[in-house]
Every structure is written in C-alpha cells, then in structure tokens.
Amino acid sequence: MPARSIEQIRNLCKRRGFIFPGSAAYGGLGSFWDYGPLGVEMLNHIKRAWWRSTVYERDDMEGLDSAIITSRKVWQHSGHEATFSDPLVDCKKCRTRHRADHLTSNVCPKCGAADLTEPRRFNLMFQSHVGPVEASPGTEEELASRVYLRPETAQGIFMNFKHVQNSLRRKVPFGVAQIGKAFRNEITPGNFIFRTREFEQMEIEFFIKPPQFVKDGDKTDEQWHEEWISQRYNWWLSLGIDPSRLRKRAQDKAELAHYAKATTDLEYLFPDFGWGEVEGIANRTDFDLSAHSRDVPEADLARLKLEKNSDSTETFDYFDPDAKARYIPWVIEPSAGVTRAMLAFLCEAYHEELVKEPTPAEVDPLKAEIDAVVKNAEKKKKEAEKEPDQTKRKHDPAAIAAFTAALAEMAGRLPQSLLEIDNLLEDHAGAQNLEPAKKLKPKIARLAEDCVRVVLRLHPALAPVKVAIFPLKKNEPAIVDIGQRITRQLAPFMRVQYDDSAGIGRLYRRQDEIGTPFCITVDFQTLEDNTVTLRERDSMQQTRVNIADLKHLLMQRLHLA
Ligand code: GAP
C-alpha cells in the first residue's frame, strides 16, 4: 500500500535528507523548500528520465534553457500580466486570505465568520527590476524597468522558436523541451511540495501544422494532442505509478487557460487531498506565437482575440516547403511539475511493512506507558486551562487534546502504528514539554526499528542512492579494503554510499527507507572467493556475485547501461 498521509512523506523527507523547509533558521519562508542531498539526486533523476524520453528517444525534439527573467513585454503580450491572477478574498474578522474559487461557502475556512470581502484579482507573478531603480510603483520609470520571474517556462520556448528552427534546420512538426524554475506567488500554497511558490517545470512546446494546412497522412492538432496525452500518461506508468492512481481528466471550458483550446490533466491520487494535477497537456493553438508576432492577419487576430503587437520586431512564422506557404504553427504543450512529480513518486513508493511481530512482552509495557503519557497530558491540559493569561500557559490545551486523541487511537493499532507513534512523539505540538512522552520516544523508536521496515519502492532510475556497500566487520582491514575498492570502482557510474556505522540489519533498513535498490556486503567469504552478497531491496533476496561482474550487472539492472 502506498503512503497513507502526506505527513509520512514529510517526516521521511526531513529525517533522511530529501527536503528541508527553506530559511529555517529564521522561522521559514512561506512555502519555499530546500532539497537536501537525497532530494537533489531524486530531482535530477526525474529530470533525466523525462529528458531521455522526450528528447533522446524521439527524432523530432530539441532542448533549450532560456533565461528565468524575461522582458515585461513577453508577459504583457502572452496575456499573463492581465489575466494570470486568482480571485482573492480577505476575512474581515481573522484577517486571513483565501482563494475565492477554492471556498465551498461564503464562510471563512479559518474562523467560520461570514464576513468576507468582495473577490478581487491578485496577479501571481513575482516582480523585480533591472538596474538601479528607485521609482514608485506604476510610474513610467518603474514600468520601463519592471521584469517578472517567469511563471511558466513555456514563453522562453516561444521566444526561441525561430532560433531553434533555423539553427537546427527543423521542419514542422518538431518540438522544444525545457526544464527550469518557475515562480508563482500562490495565494494558498500547501500540501507540502504540491503547491509552492518556487518550483520546477518540464515543458514541451510541440509545433504542428495549422488545421488548414493538414493534408492526407498528416496528423491533425487533435490527433497530436491525443498522441501526447497517451505518450505522457505512459511515461508516468513506466516509472512505477500504478494505473489505479493516475487518471486523465479533460478540463471543462470554464477551467481552460486563456490560451487553450483544450487541456487534459494527468492527475495522481494523493493521500489526504485526493486527485491532484501532476501534468497538463494543452492545445495552445497558434495563440502564443501569434501574440508575440508583429504581422498577423486581421482575421487571425480577431479569432484569437488579440490586439496587434507593435512592440515585437519578429513574426514567428514558418515557411513550409511542401505547402510552399508561410504560416504560424500551432502548439501542443505537455507541461509537468518536477517537484510535484517527486511528491507523487514518493507517495507511490512509500511502504511500511511489519517484518517482525513484536511479542506481548515487548508491546504491553509500551501500552501501559502510553496510558500514563495520556493521563499526564490530560493533567497538564487542566493545569494550563486554569491559567487565564494564555501567554503564561506552559502548554496549549488544544494541542494537547489533539495529541492525546491521536495517541490513544494509534495505541489501539499497535504494533502496526509503531512508526506513526514515533513520528507523533517527535513532531506534534501537543507532545512538547511532556516528560513521560520524551521518555517513551526512544523505546518506541527502538522497537519500530526492530520490527518495521519502511521501504521506498522507487523505480531504480529514480532512486537517489543506487548501491550501498557495507563491510561485515569494520575493524577487519582486508574486508574494509575490498569494500572501499568496490566503492571507488562504482562511484564514477552511479551514486554509491559506503557505510560501516551500524550492524548489517540496521544498515539494510536505512537503505530501504531511502529506496536504495541494491546493497553489497563484503564478508569473510569474499576473502576466499572474491564474491560479495548482493541484496535486492524489494524481494530482500540475497545472491553471491563475483566482484568482477558487479559493475556490468548493476549497470544493467539499474538501467544505466
Ligand atoms: N505552461 C503551462 C503551465 O504552466 P500549469 O498547469 O499552470 O501549466 C504545469 O502548470 C505544471 O506545473 C502542473 O501540472 C504542475 O505539475 C506544475 N505546477 C504548477 N503550479 C505549481 C505550483 N504552485 N507548485 C508546484 N508545481 C506547480
């Protein structure tokens, strides 16, 4: 079973170095995240898998890396300055802000007051200025130097359509792929890294013939759209997403972005909040290339509801040698989020398995201690409630109530809930400053480590560490020497980790938790016959492999060869 909650993933990511809150030493900065040693590996693997499938494995694609900061004119003519906004309401009572289109009633979701302002548009683009400008907002000088951090990578591709087409002598149909950061000042970011203000996108703009130039044997825009939807859907499945948790959903007319004729979203079934978009595949027609072009026929401007563009020096058209005519190509755009993909792959891969049933002699004393923690917490809650000045309270009664309710529920599911209790004791606000809870924590953690295996069943191509190497004895120089030699031999080809900091069982557990597909153990038999134990993460099967065959075998099984 995949992850039951986003909290499980958040805990694992923090504990094992995938993702940390940004600017943490200063209390964090709303919904910005830093990707740690394992996180950056995984992001890179996602991007590599995407690039390989969309650029290397096709003969009609090129790559690009355009600037993040782009002229304001780009965003004026793309329509983003006028329309890339969300409706915002303020609660007049508790002063929180919400997206009006996410509210299910006219009541504040935070405090319940029916006292909300009228919705107003809030533009999602982050602004900055180029050069030493000190002008007031809205003045001529300010507007002339204003730039935006891109909210999508797509416009950089449109700007370079002709550069790529001419320099690589490409014929339509062809596409351009780009991976890069995008920024949106989201009103309600959240669900961990699902919706953030800084994120990464993997986007393709695929240029095709306009409908009036499509001949027998050519694909129509609708056929190209369908083909990309299924190509992209299969990519997610090929990296381990179960089809029962990935669906295609066509957007209805009201949802469509200002540029789209049709869009199909690929949605993943996340724990806690359900179906969420991980990729959108849009038919953007000739909207963007026309919007940035100087010379566009009046009829097309009227059809696309565009004003004539007198700022642009370019017309983004293409001479079709077969049709012997010039036209502005249409565009199919598959657009996926890298960071959102990481969350989906982590949720899919996360599994907890009870690998050893603890005895009643191990579980019963913990249950008794949990009862004592709950009783103590309730006593502290009552004491806190007696103090009328909230700033002087040692404990927050509401947090304690939430903590004891969760703990009592989890105690009823022991031993399956061992890890959940461990996380609850570590992180819950209601568990802070409760002495019995602090004493219970290491006992729960120890039993969890013995009995529960957390395993990330990541596709080998996405696993942050590919192989871990352990010496059976760290004070046996001959064994250590071979272990380090194998590490050096594999390191240029894959991320390897040499670890001698615990017993073999514990080392296996640690690698399972971060999704390492293979572990190698060097033992006394190695000294006799040059073989090592190769242990596979999912099946936990162990085989003896000759050291000379290791590299070739691993490269193949990790899809690196
Ligand atoms: N160029 C089209 C475009 O940007 P989008 O549906 O707004 O379309 C594409 O974004 C993808 O980018 C989404 O499917 C999602 O994976 C990712 N994405 C969008 N906003 C995001 C955010 N605030 N945080 C993380 N990922 C986001």
Side-chain angles (χ1 to χ4, degrees), residues 132 176 182 213 215 245 274 311 342 407 455 479 509 546 554:
V176 179
F213 286 90
K215 298 194 311 275
R245 282 181 289 279
D311 293 323
M342 179 163 162
L407 185 59
V455 55
I479 288 181
R509 233 26 96 61
N546 201 298
L554 287 169

Side-chain angles (χ1 to χ4, degrees), residues 467 489-490 494 518-520 532-536 543-561:
V467 181
Q489 185 202 355
L490 297 177
M494 61 196 80
F518 295 103
C519 294
I520 292 169
V532 289
T533 303
L534 185 70
R535 183 242 197 205
E536 201 268 332
T543 43
R544 298 286 313 176
V545 177
N546 201 298
I547 294 175
D549 300 331
L550 263 180
K551 186 186 135 204
H552 181 69
L553 186 126
L554 287 169
M555 297 283 284
Q556 271 192 332
R557 294 190 61 186
L558 290 163
H559 304 264
L560 296 170

Side-chain angles (χ1 to χ4, degrees), residues 518-549:
F518 295 103
C519 294
I520 292 169
T521 305
V522 183
D523 53 23
F524 289 102
Q525 192 180 329
T526 313
L527 302 180
E528 287 163 22
D529 64 5
N530 265 332
T531 65
V532 289
T533 303
L534 185 70
R535 183 242 197 205
E536 201 268 332
R537 176 194 70 201
D538 295 343
S539 64
M540 293 193 273
Q541 256 183 8
Q542 303 191 3
T543 43
R544 298 286 313 176
V545 177
N546 201 298
I547 294 175
D549 300 331

Side-chain angles (χ1 to χ4, degrees), residues 151-152 154 184 186 193-197 199-201 203 205 259 277-280 284 333 335-337 339-340:
E152 59 169 10
R184 295 183 189 176
E186 298 279 2
I193 55 166
F194 180 79
R195 191 181 307 286
T196 53
R197 293 187 168 121
F199 55 98
E200 236 175 334
Q201 288 188 316
E203 295 201 300
E205 307 304 323
Y259 49 71
E277 175 196 336
V278 285
E279 174 159 3
R284 287 180 87 132
E333 177 196 67
S335 170
T339 38
R340 214 175 259 191

Side-chain angles (χ1 to χ4, degrees), residues 13 17-24 32-37 39-40 43 193 198:
C13 286
F18 283 80
I19 303 171
F20 309 116
S23 311
F32 290 87
W33 298 90
D34 296 337
Y35 291 78
V40 64
L43 288 178
I193 55 166
E198 175 177 337

